[in-house]
Amino acid sequence: MKRVIPGQFPPELPSCDFPTETPGIANASQGLVLRLVRKFVTIALPGLLLLSGSPRLHAAEPEFGAAQMQQLVNSYCLTCHNDALATAGFSLQSVDFSNVGDHAEALEKVVKKLRAHMMPPSGMPRPAFETYEEMTGWLESELDAAWAAAPDPGRVTPLHRMNRYEYNNTVNRLLGLEVDVMDLLPGDPTADGSFDNVAASLPFSTSHMERYMSVARQVTRLATGLPPLGPSLTTYEVPLFMSQAWRQNEMTPFGSRGGLAVTHHFPVAGNYRLRISLERNYQDYIKGLGWPQQLEVRLDGRLLQRFTIGGEAPGTPAPLSFSGTGEPGSIDWEQYMLVEADQDLVIDTHIDAGPRLLSVAFVRQQLVSEGVPQPVQGGRLYANDEAYRDYQKVHTLEIGGPYAIDAAQSDSPSRQRIFTCYPARVAEESSCASEILTGLAHQAYRHPVSDRDLELLLGFYRSGREQGGSFDAGIQYALEFMLSDPDFLIRRYVPPANLAPGELYRLGDLELASRLSFFLWSSSPDAELLQLAEQGVLSDPAVLEHQVRRLLADPRGVETLVEDFASQWLNLRRLDEVQINTVLFPDYDLSLIEAFRQETKLFLAETLTQDASVMELLTADYTFVNERLARHYGVDDVYGSRFRKVTVPELSKRGGLLGQGALLTVTSYPGRTSPVLRGKWLLDNLLGTPPPPPPPNVPILPEAEAGQAPSSIRERLARHRADPICSTCHTVIDPLGFALENFDVIGAWREFDEAGNAVDPKGNYPGGVEFSGFADLRDWMAGRPDQFAHTLTEKLMTYALGRRVDYYDQPVIRRIVREIAAQNYSWSSLVVAIVTSEPFLMSRAALENEDPQS
């Protein structure tokens, strides 16, 4: 990597991003004005600067201050950002640099652009590289001082609804369940494409209320062990492109192959039916029936039944590769291939209530293909192939029931959690119900239970007791109301009375407990946190820091930051949407995608549990792989489905987040890589300088004409950047993406692209920075720890606060970055600094022009 100082005034001046129309200037005269401005900037301005003495040319430079800042802005910014043109709707002409606090919103935007060397735009006159540091350093210092003199922590949103992930976690931990109800609830929108826990973006409509009530009824009946109204059927499916050639995961038995393992919650003890179906091709022939294979069904590790399938087809078979040939086998053979082979894969068995692990997997038998090796099939062929002499595959597991219910029910974990007492006679029911509901309501409502709260719940208990005819039915009905109550679904932040507009105040300890718990656990506070809040000591700095570290050290803290925060920050959730052209990339299958997901999650969890520096996210020399992923990455001596920590063999080709398949795949198209998607992802998520959205009706990249050799993606994007409208952003976006071009669509290292062109991974960044590929880009980013730490702090603070980070938060973010730098940027120092910051602990009363409920 090297830094090139470009010439101060380039010989050619490309068009600036001027608006097509400017108020007060007719189109004809506007064109004249623009030509004169460009001529002045290109010819006259350099001479004037030389005559007047540019700050860079003085032998003894004066101390940098407001006057120097104003001169630089006049020289380099006002050409476009003046009141007349106001390019991009932004003008600096009226900014008084002797009083930056009055212009904080505008100047924070300037700081972000200058820090990234993104302004002035490419081709326009630019200050010296060192001058950027002087400008941003002075602006940040002045803005921080102005904020310290008049702090603004922002406003907490008064009403904050749980999102689906928070509701799922809270219900499971409250009731002692292990169920997933997220798909039963309406989806949650994300704020600006970032996080789905931003309060202002979470609607609360009648449809939401209806779904919450429906889910509350289902989960409370399940948790209390009330018999279902009738038998139900649940189906678990293995996707078509999921490989089943080896042990599927750690939940399936050793020595097994393929299949699936699920944790299913059985509502009551009774009789259930399990039915397994095998994978078929598109003509409904069951795959792999040419030889006998053994299929085992286990419950909590105990063998229920072993089936032998295949190798016994009667009659006369069809020709090999028979699908679609029009030459069927004999009737009895066809009947066996289409229907009979898996119709008896049924088990009727008794199962106790509660969560149970069910696995369906084949006994692993090594299969070596004979004859001439065949290429891996992709596209339609994968569905067409009957794989007669290949492995059989599980398609679905159906769980039906209960068909008979035990009279005496065994206690499930959820019943043990809920029924802390149980009445021996009717006279004890009321007091026992009060005890149960008080304990659960305390945690559900996140504050002490008042007499009114309890009486309302007991009213529902009595109604349910009367209608259902049992104590359990009464408790279930009260819990159903509890989980539909707005006091449970919504976190309320109530400001003190009689505040003046804009007055600052501290959040109450109970509000702080909820905010902290939903930040680090995505769930309600536990008993210890609530107790400290009720005692009024949680806001004590020493107590608060201890609790932050306790929550962060708990497995729930790591799980939340990995599964929820990082999955959204890094766009890991998009792995579920990935579509790959399997003809071009036959090595793809869903097992690889799942391995990508697991690699990144284990990697993130490792940095959190070890309290590593957040810079290790970029520089780590290790990752986590199983045999499937190790083979894809070229890592030797890794066998089996278990993930383990390995040292990256070549840091020039792997290492840190930038070399992980999950992030490379979600930033690609099905059939080719995309430097644009990858460059934008880097700017958005790691560099903190997101480009503006593209203009409407942007044409797609041109494809090669018939008979022409396909051009490289670099050549096609160069033609795209020739359009001045596109050039402004793509000059920054594309070169970053080019640095990752050695990785193909599914993250494998390559030297040639999809069209056979040699990969050219050279890239650059505004300010004269050049890099020769992946390793150079990673090292350059690692060499700017403050920028990466600033971006991560912005993302994590947005998630922690449940609101968008705004300009008035930037001084606090810069202070946090300085603080954690002294602690090697450790995860714990970052989390503690956010929780103990003013935006987390405080709020501001609404101003006269603000809606107090927003």
Side-chain angles (χ1 to χ4, degrees):
M1 180 187 67
K2 61 182 179 178
R3 179 168 64 85
V4 178
I5 305 298
Q8 184 71 14
F9 298 102
E12 295 182 7
L13 183 64
S15 61
C16 189
D17 188 17
F18 293 114
T20 56
E21 292 186 358
T22 302
I25 302 179
N27 288 340
S29 61
Q30 181 186 9
L32 176 61
V33 169
L34 297 185
R35 287 193 294 273
L36 290 173
V37 167
R38 289 179 184 143
K39 190 170 184 179
F40 172 78
V41 172
T42 309
I43 300 174
L45 183 58
L48 290 175
L49 288 176
L50 288 172
L51 290 172
S52 63
S54 170
R56 296 189 300 108
L57 302 178
H58 284 303
E61 296 183 1
E63 182 180 354
F64 196 94
Q68 287 75 19
M69 188 70 201
Q70 186 69 66
Q71 182 179 359
L72 288 165
V73 168
N74 291 346
S75 301
Y76 297 105
C77 306
L78 290 188
T79 302
C80 298
H81 299 294
N82 54 65
D83 289 347
L85 295 178
T87 302
F90 187 68
S91 173
L92 291 170
Q93 186 169 332
S94 302
V95 172
D96 177 8
F97 286 95
S98 63
N99 191 5
V100 298
D102 290 347
H103 310 279
E105 184 172 4
L107 293 179
E108 288 292 357
K109 297 178 182 177
V110 173
V111 166
K112 189 173 285 287
K113 293 294 185 182
L114 292 178
R115 272 286 176 212
H117 291 251
M118 295 179 75
M119 285 292 162
S122 177
M124 293 290 286
R126 300 167 72 93
F129 192 89
E130 295 77 8
T131 305
Y132 275 94
E133 296 302 314
E134 287 185 305
M135 296 171 72
T136 53
W138 182 83
L139 275 176
E140 288 176 350
S141 177
E142 293 295 308
L143 288 165
D144 293 350
W147 189 93
D152 184 357
R155 292 183 58 224
V156 64
T157 307
L159 302 177
H160 194 158
R161 174 178 68 80
M162 288 186 195
N163 65 16
R164 294 191 300 172
Y165 184 79
E166 293 166 339
Y167 183 90
N168 191 77
N169 284 351
T170 304
V171 165
N172 277 298
R173 290 163 187 169
L174 179 68
L175 302 181
L177 292 170
E178 296 180 26
V179 296
D180 186 351
V181 300
M182 287 194 287
D183 289 340
L184 303 178
L185 295 168
D188 298 309
T190 59
D192 302 327
S194 56
F195 300 102
D196 61 8
N197 70 337
V198 173
S201 299
L202 291 171
F204 193 57
S205 62
T206 53
S207 63
H208 284 87
M209 198 66 226
E210 289 170 357
R211 295 309 305 158
Y212 280 124
M213 293 172 67
S214 174
V215 171
R217 181 176 301 112
Q218 294 178 56
V219 296
T220 53
R221 291 186 67 89
L222 190 66
T224 54
L226 290 187
L229 301 179
S232 62
L233 185 68
T234 302
T235 302
Y236 297 95
E237 180 175 344
V238 182
L240 171 66
F241 282 99
M242 180 69 75
S243 173
Q244 298 189 44
W246 46 78
R247 186 183 178 206
Q248 204 71 346
N249 52 51
E250 294 302 296
M251 291 169 38
T252 52
F254 286 109
S256 68
R257 172 191 66 77
L260 77 163
V262 298
T263 299
H264 183 81
H265 197 107
F266 292 88
V268 293
N271 295 338
Y272 294 85
R273 170 167 289 184
L274 312 178
R275 180 184 294 276
I276 300 100
S277 66
L278 301 181
E279 187 176 287
R280 289 162 160 78
N281 71 354
Y282 84 114
Q283 289 188 325
D284 282 338
Y285 286 106
I286 298 172
K287 296 181 178 180
L289 292 181
W291 58 293
Q293 300 173 51
Q294 292 183 319
L295 180 68
E296 293 184 343
V297 181
R298 293 176 179 269
L299 176 66
D300 291 334
R302 176 174 59 88
L303 181 65
L304 293 181
Q305 194 162 339
R306 181 183 293 118
F307 300 95
T308 299
I309 311 142
E312 54 183 13
T316 304
L320 196 62
S321 297
F322 47 80
S323 293
T325 63
E327 299 180 18
S330 60
I331 292 176
D332 52 350
W333 185 89
E334 291 279 336
Q335 186 78 5
Y336 175 79
M337 292 293 298
L338 293 168
V339 179
E340 295 175 357
D342 67 352
Q343 69 178 0
D344 294 327
L345 302 182
V346 178
I347 300 174
D348 292 311
T349 186
H350 179 275
I351 301 177
D352 288 333
R356 299 283 179 258
L357 176 63
L358 270 170
S359 67
V360 179
F362 292 94
V363 176
R364 185 169 185 180
Q365 299 167 275
Q366 298 296 338
L367 174 68
V368 179
S369 300
E370 297 180 349
V372 179
Q374 298 297 308
V376 178
Q377 293 186 346
R380 291 181 62 237
L381 291 175
Y382 201 81
N384 291 359
D385 188 13
E386 68 277 355
Y388 189 59
R389 300 290 301 174
D390 209 332
Y391 287 130
Q392 297 167 15
K393 299 180 180 181
V394 173
H395 179 220
T396 62
L397 165 65
E398 294 180 350
I399 303 173
Y403 298 106
I405 299 173
D406 292 1
Q409 285 295 317
S410 58
D411 271 353
S412 64
S414 59
R415 282 184 60 85
Q416 294 172 17
R417 171 77 177 86
I418 293 169
F419 293 102
T420 54
C421 62
Y422 204 85
R425 53 185 185 274
V426 175
E428 298 174 355
E429 289 188 357
S430 182
S431 61
C432 183
S434 296
E435 178 184 328
I436 291 171
L437 296 176
T438 299
L440 292 173
H442 185 206
Q443 187 174 357
Y445 293 156
R446 304 174 290 278
H447 60 69
V449 181
S450 66
D451 292 342
R452 179 182 175 279
D453 294 330
L454 181 58
E455 186 53 40
L456 184 60
L457 290 169
L458 286 174
F460 279 91
Y461 157 76
R462 288 188 285 267
S463 178
R465 173 72 175 85
E466 180 179 349
Q467 295 175 22
S470 69
F471 177 77
D472 293 13
I475 293 297
Q476 181 275 324
Y477 198 51
L479 293 179
E480 182 180 330
F481 167 76
M482 185 188 298
L483 299 189
S484 308
D485 191 340
D487 278 351
F488 171 72
L489 299 171
I490 296 175
R491 309 200 303 271
R492 300 170 188 248
Y493 297 91
V494 182
N498 303 319
L499 288 177
E503 184 177 348
L504 307 187
Y505 65 92
R506 298 185 70 87
L507 300 183
D509 277 43
L510 285 169
E511 295 170 330
L512 180 58
S514 288
R515 194 171 220 191
L516 175 59
S517 182
F518 276 95
F519 168 31
L520 292 179
W521 284 357
S522 286
S523 182
S524 292
D526 64 358
E528 180 177 337
L529 204 56
L530 281 174
Q531 183 179 10
L532 292 170
E534 289 164 13
Q535 293 171 353
V537 298
L538 180 58
S539 53
D540 179 88
V543 174
L544 181 59
E545 180 172 344
H546 175 74
Q547 289 301 308
V548 172
R549 295 184 182 277
R550 179 179 72 87
L551 269 63
L552 188 58
D554 189 283
R556 287 172 286 185
V558 175
E559 179 185 352
T560 293
L561 292 179
V562 171
E563 296 285 343
D564 199 38
F565 165 69
S567 290
Q568 296 185 79
W569 167 42
L570 300 174
N571 295 354
L572 293 181
R573 291 183 177 179
R574 285 204 57 236
L575 279 172
D576 295 327
E577 306 166 11
V578 164
Q579 300 290 326
I580 302 296
N581 185 327
T582 56
V583 174
L584 294 176
F585 300 96
D587 288 339
Y588 159 81
D589 56 49
L590 281 179
S591 299
L592 181 64
I593 297 299
E594 288 304 309
F596 285 161
R597 191 196 314 271
Q598 190 72 355
E599 173 198 19
T600 301
K601 288 183 176 180
L602 288 172
F603 173 73
L604 291 164
E606 176 76 0
T607 65
L608 283 161
T609 53
Q610 298 301 316
D611 196 19
S613 168
V614 299
M615 298 309 300
E616 200 166 287
L617 297 175
L618 298 177
T619 63
D621 63 352
Y622 63 88
T623 190
F624 290 80
V625 297
N626 63 359
E627 181 179 354
R628 176 71 178 89
L629 188 55
R631 188 166 64 249
H632 187 69
Y633 284 170
V635 179
D636 297 328
D637 302 324
V638 176
Y639 303 101
S641 61
R642 181 180 64 84
F643 279 80
R644 76 288 316 258
K645 185 178 179 180
V646 299
T647 300
V648 174
E650 292 184 76
L651 282 175
S652 61
K653 295 183 178 181
R654 254 351 128 177
L657 287 172
L658 293 183
Q660 295 187 3
L663 310 180
L664 295 163
T665 300
V666 299
T667 52
S668 297
Y669 290 119
R672 66 166 177 85
T673 58
S674 173
V676 176
L677 293 180
R678 289 177 175 177
K680 183 180 183 302
W681 183 89
L682 287 169
L683 289 169
D684 282 345
N685 298 303
L686 301 188
L687 297 174
T689 52
N697 303 319
V698 176
I700 62 174
L701 292 182
E703 299 289 345
E705 299 289 340
Q708 291 182 342
S711 56
S712 69
I713 188 66
R714 182 182 285 269
E715 293 169 340
R716 293 158 68 190
L717 283 171
R719 294 197 295 270
H720 189 67
R721 289 195 303 276
D723 185 336
I725 297 177
C726 303
S727 174
T728 301
C729 294
H730 281 272
T731 299
V732 179
I733 296 172
D734 298 353
L736 288 170
F738 289 145
L740 299 177
E741 272 295 279
N742 277 122
F743 298 106
D744 70 10
V745 167
I746 52 176
W749 187 266
R750 65 179 183 176
E751 300 295 340
F752 297 91
D753 66 16
E754 300 85 7
N757 301 298
V759 169
D760 180 3
K762 292 191 292 294
N764 58 64
Y765 190 73
V769 177
E770 295 185 355
F771 25 79
S772 60
F774 156 74
D776 252 5
L777 172 63
R778 179 194 59 206
D779 295 344
W780 170 73
M781 292 176 62
R784 307 175 73 195
D786 285 0
Q787 179 168 4
F788 177 71
H790 190 105
T791 303
L792 178 55
T793 303
E794 281 186 338
K795 300 292 185 180
L796 192 55
M797 182 173 278
T798 299
Y799 181 81
L801 299 179
R803 67 165 173 82
R804 298 172 180 85
V805 168
D806 217 322
Y807 72 92
Y808 43 75
D809 298 304
Q810 293 301 323
V812 176
I813 293 172
R814 288 191 286 268
R815 186 188 71 206
I816 289 174
V817 172
R818 291 192 296 269
E819 290 174 356
I820 67 175
Q823 302 180 59
N824 193 31
Y825 300 100
S826 68
W827 270 110
S828 63
S829 66
L830 173 58
V831 173
V832 168
I834 288 175
V835 172
T836 56
S837 69
E838 293 87 347
F840 197 90
L841 299 174
M842 303 178 69
S843 185
R844 168 176 54 79
L847 299 173
E848 293 180 353
N849 60 344
E850 291 179 324
D851 181 0
Q853 298 303 316
S854 66

